[in-house]
Amino acid sequence: MIRLEGVTKTYLTGAGAVHALRDVDLEVRAGEFVAIMGQSGSGKSTLMNILGCLDRPTSGTYRLDGRDVGRLPDSVRAKLRGAAFGFVFQSYNLLPRMSALEQVELPLIYQRVPNRRHLAAEALVRVGLADRAHHQPTQLSGGQQQRVAIARSLVVNPRLILADEPTGALDTKTGQEVMQLLTDLVDQRGITVVLVTHEQSVADFARRTLRMRDGMIVEDVVRPSLRAVSG
Amino acid sequence: MSLVDAVRIALRAIAANRLRSALTALGLIIGVSSVIVLIAVGQGAQKGVTERIRGLGTNLIFVRPGTAQGTAQTQGARGAAMTLVASDADAIEQAGIPGIAGVSSQINFPAQAITSAQNVNTTVIGTTANYVDVRGVSLSSGSFISPTDVSTRGLAIVLGAAVAPQLFPEEEPLGQTVRLSLGGGRVTFQFRVVGVMAPRGGSSGGLEDSYVYVPVSSVQNRIAFVRNPTGQVNVSQIDIKTAPKADQALIKDQVTALLMQRHNVAEPDFRVLSQDDLLGAASAVSLTLSILLGSVAGISLIVGGIGVMNIMLVSVAERIREIGIRRAVGAQANDIVKQFVTEALTLCLVGGLIGTGVGVGAAVLLGGRAVAGQTMTTVIQPWSIGIAFAVAAGVGLISGSYPAYRATAVDPITALRNE
């Protein structure tokens, strides 16, 4: 589904060029659960942003289902983000003063999907927050907020969920619950999940772990014990 | 994003910052309402002047001393020679010009009217018996100056409707004596009250109600400082009443030719004006007033608009993270533009609506009220509401668009990192 070839990302800063990604090749097949690990500044967030069409590669190609999405105009990329991708962030990124239900409805507003209240309610049920639909972010715990964010990413029926340190702000137990939720999405719904994390215990939920250093993928491990993934 | 959603999001954002939204809208409320009120005042002034001129009578032509350059007023102020005489009026009447229904002449000067107990500053109109017919005025009691009063230089006086109760608060004015003091008390005459005018009402601004009327001959031949060296009777205005549907332009030409011949001059030393001419001059003045008032109001509307833009820019800066989140969940650049433009537009239209209410209300309240001794007339113009609203909407579009454009330039990643 995802194929990166020779992707480089260079930022120009006052101190000179920063090579966030150097010649990265990566293939992710549909239904895979991939964890990207690495230290701060290793390039993992940059890789996520490029995968999520939030950023463009400086050179190299990014093909999504064979389509070169790295060179699409912004409006098409925005449409793609809305329809095919779901984002989960470390800091949840919920909008203030909006109920959980409205947060989940948000992507549907931009998709002009009808019947969105119903779809949003369903997504909340799926993450176990049916009884919190009318709570605002400040009335929810961190784990609940992150589950709202996951419901929001799910509601568009995405093919790919990109999770940037989804457990970073949560305690271990809540973090495990959120990870279980993501694992279920992969297992039960065949959604592809790419996850960035610092923690080995979190990465262990994934079938495949990439390790990054200095903008390059230095290790790519697939755990053998699991069932085959469909291509 | 559908329009309904855009409006819903805008209303939420406005409601989330109640105080700021209210203050922003206030700028527009002031702007829109002042446009409506000031234009209503300007138009009211214009209407007042027009009614005052129409109130002089109907189908009138005026002949005044002075040349085509400058108005009669400025000529008078400069002490221009009095070139019109009472016999000019007689000549016009006797010339048999078709369409002339009556002629009267008058001379105006200030004087003090004095009774045993009261003292009133007034304007004396020295005129003839024809005045009543030519100017279409009527009396509430007694009679006007008679032709005999004019020919015998009788000391008869008719009081304006407002003057009579001032001079005679308790007694019946008819038959009483009024002294007129002219030229700062140098000359004083005793007149006998023969009549009281009926009120002319608000349409003429009450001006004529404060005049007193005497036979033109009686003052002319007794007052040295207005006497004509040739022994003629000076007049400051000749009023010509024309028949309904008479060709006023033709009559003006004929009167001009007649007087030029009588005065033996190559260029007229007088001016012949119809009511339409006066209306034209007056509306030019009040148009200037309207434009002036409108400009002041327009400036406040622009200031209000800048306020909206300022707030929208602040709002974009404050909501960078929100923009980033919306972009990440699939909002396109034009969705963000739509959101901010809708927000600004909603704010402006709500402000415009309230401003219209306030403006119309204030104009209605002001109308008919005395301000600085003048009765205010206000005429609410539907087009002023239209303009104020269009400007409010335009301000909304512009002041929403630029911040919205700035918002789309926000990089979603940077926006999301913006904690």
Side-chain angles (χ1 to χ4, degrees):
Chain A
M1 182 170 86
I2 291 172
R3 185 188 287 275
L4 297 187
E5 279 170 5
V7 167
T8 303
K9 181 72 190 179
T10 309
Y11 294 107
L12 289 173
T13 66
V18 174
H19 301 284
L21 291 180
R22 300 165 193 260
D23 197 21
V24 170
D25 295 326
L26 174 65
E27 188 168 358
V28 177
R29 282 177 292 168
E32 270 194 298
F33 190 172
V34 183
I36 304 173
M37 294 193 70
Q39 291 175 333
S40 297
S42 60
K44 54 190 194 308
S45 289
T46 306
L47 183 58
M48 282 289 275
N49 290 335
I50 285 174
L51 289 179
C53 286
L54 289 168
D55 209 346
R56 291 173 191 274
T58 309
S59 64
T61 55
Y62 169 19
R63 287 180 195 282
L64 187 70
D65 295 329
R67 190 175 174 198
D68 187 353
V69 293
R71 295 195 195 349
L72 290 175
D74 275 344
S75 61
V76 180
R77 284 156 59 90
K79 226 170 248 172
L80 196 66
R81 273 203 300 274
F85 299 165
F87 293 88
V88 179
F89 304 92
Q90 177 179 0
S91 48
Y92 325 132
N93 276 332
L94 300 179
L95 291 174
R97 285 185 296 268
M98 248 194 199
S99 72
L101 194 62
E102 289 170 315
Q103 310 272 1
V104 179
E105 270 187 64
L106 200 59
L108 301 177
I109 288 178
Y110 295 115
Q111 300 282 317
R112 289 173 174 266
V113 172
N115 198 18
R116 43 178 209 251
R117 185 130 295 206
H118 178 69
L119 292 172
E122 270 184 0
L124 279 176
V125 170
R126 219 173 295 144
V127 298
L129 281 179
D131 56 336
R132 294 285 187 275
H134 299 289
H135 288 56
Q136 296 194 355
T138 48
Q139 299 167 313
L140 298 170
S141 70
Q144 287 170 335
Q145 289 188 54
Q146 193 58 295
R147 281 194 276 162
V148 171
I150 291 172
R152 183 177 68 188
S153 70
L154 272 181
V155 76
V156 292
N157 280 321
R159 310 204 31 219
L160 174 67
I161 287 183
L162 295 160
D164 191 353
E165 306 253 16
T167 62
L170 303 174
D171 61 60
T172 313
K173 184 172 167 288
T174 322
Q176 299 279 323
E177 285 169 16
V178 166
M179 285 314 298
Q180 191 55 54
L181 189 58
L182 288 175
T183 309
D184 291 347
L185 292 178
V186 177
D187 290 345
Q188 293 164 15
R189 294 167 55 93
I191 296 172
T192 312
V193 173
V194 178
L195 157 87
V196 163
T197 183
H198 278 104
E199 295 168 62
Q200 188 61 51
S201 65
V202 171
D204 285 345
F205 279 87
R207 318 293 191 271
R208 179 178 171 194
T209 306
L210 303 176
R211 234 169 254 284
M212 293 193 68
R213 192 181 300 145
D214 299 329
M216 288 178 286
I217 297 174
V218 293
E219 195 183 290
D220 187 347
V221 182
V222 181
R223 277 196 284 152
S225 62
L226 297 157
R227 82 187 99 141
V229 288
S230 61
Chain B
M1 183 168 56
S2 71
L3 193 63
V4 177
D5 289 322
V7 171
R8 193 176 297 154
I9 292 172
L11 289 177
R12 286 192 73 124
I14 289 168
N17 278 300
R18 271 170 229 279
L19 179 64
R20 191 166 77 184
S21 307
L23 287 174
T24 310
L26 187 64
L28 274 167
I29 291 170
I30 293 171
V32 168
S33 57
S34 56
V35 164
I36 292 171
V37 169
L38 292 184
I39 286 177
V41 167
Q43 291 290 313
Q46 189 154 4
K47 189 180 165 216
V49 169
T50 307
E51 281 187 353
R52 208 167 290 180
I53 289 168
R54 295 237 180 269
L56 294 174
T58 45
N59 303 322
L60 286 179
I61 291 175
F62 309 98
V63 186
R64 288 175 179 171
T67 56
Q69 288 85 30
T71 65
Q73 279 88 346
T74 59
Q75 292 279 339
R78 276 192 243 126
M82 302 290 260
T83 54
L84 285 180
V85 291
S87 56
D88 286 335
D90 298 337
I92 293 168
E93 200 166 14
Q94 285 149 19
I97 299 170
I100 291 185
V103 180
S104 80
S105 52
Q106 62 179 79
I107 182 157
N108 310 347
F109 48 88
Q112 265 193 320
I114 303 161
T115 62
S116 53
Q118 307 295 329
N119 185 341
V120 175
N121 283 317
T122 182
T123 298
V124 178
I125 311 285
T127 186
T128 57
N130 287 351
Y131 186 88
V132 171
D133 172 52
V134 170
R135 297 297 284 266
V137 294
S138 54
L139 284 92
S140 66
S141 66
S143 56
F144 201 72
I145 302 156
S146 68
T148 321
D149 290 331
V150 177
S151 60
T152 62
R153 298 164 193 171
L155 290 169
I157 188 166
V158 177
L159 303 178
V163 183
Q166 283 178 302
L167 288 176
F168 301 101
E170 273 140 35
E171 309 105 293
E172 165 63 39
L174 288 185
Q176 301 278 356
T177 302
V178 173
R179 279 189 298 139
L180 287 185
S181 169
L182 311 170
R186 275 183 287 161
V187 198
T188 305
F189 303 105
Q190 289 213 343
F191 285 83
R192 183 177 40 84
V193 178
V194 297
V196 176
M197 304 295 282
R200 294 282 275 162
S203 66
S204 60
L207 216 55
E208 290 176 50
D209 291 344
S210 63
Y211 294 161
V212 300
Y213 304 84
V214 300
V216 61
S217 51
S218 66
V219 278
Q220 279 295 320
N221 287 337
R222 287 181 171 92
I223 304 168
F225 68 88
V226 287
R227 196 179 298 145
N228 188 309
T230 62
Q232 290 271 19
V233 176
N234 280 335
V235 295
S236 53
Q237 181 170 307
I238 295 172
D239 302 338
I240 302 167
K241 183 187 185 183
T242 60
K245 293 181 185 166
D247 183 348
Q248 290 209 330
L250 185 65
I251 295 172
K252 275 167 68 178
D253 288 347
Q254 288 173 310
V255 168
T256 305
L258 174 68
L259 292 185
M260 280 173 66
Q261 189 198 340
R262 278 180 58 84
H263 294 183
N264 195 20
V265 287
E267 286 295 314
D269 53 357
F270 55 86
R271 296 190 307 139
V272 184
L273 301 161
S274 66
Q275 265 171 312
D276 288 339
D277 298 332
L278 290 180
L279 278 178
S283 40
V285 171
S286 50
L287 184 66
T288 310
L289 178 74
S290 286
I291 289 171
L292 183 74
L293 292 175
S295 317
V296 171
I299 288 169
S300 65
L301 200 50
I302 289 170
V303 171
I306 292 171
V308 175
M309 186 183 284
N310 185 22
I311 290 299
M312 291 312 294
L313 280 170
V314 170
S315 180
V316 166
E318 236 176 37
R319 284 149 71 187
I320 287 228
R321 199 173 136 82
E322 177 194 328
I323 295 164
I325 294 171
R326 288 182 186 276
R327 297 273 282 179
V329 300
Q332 302 201 30
N334 66 23
D335 288 323
I336 301 293
V337 170
K338 212 191 265 180
Q339 177 184 341
F340 279 90
V341 170
T342 310
E343 195 174 319
L345 210 54
T346 307
L347 209 53
C348 288
L349 288 181
V350 169
L353 215 58
I354 297 174
T356 303
V358 171
V360 169
V364 168
L365 280 179
L366 266 179
R369 231 157 251 257
V371 175
Q374 292 275 323
T375 307
M376 298 282 285
T377 314
T378 53
V379 180
I380 296 163
Q381 294 287 349
W383 59 258
S384 72
I385 297 175
I387 284 181
F389 233 91
V391 172
V395 160
L397 271 180
I398 295 167
S399 60
S401 301
Y402 176 63
Y405 161 75
R406 291 270 301 259
T408 60
V410 170
D411 178 11
I413 311 161
T414 325
L416 288 172
R417 287 212 191 102
N418 187 312
E419 298 283 333

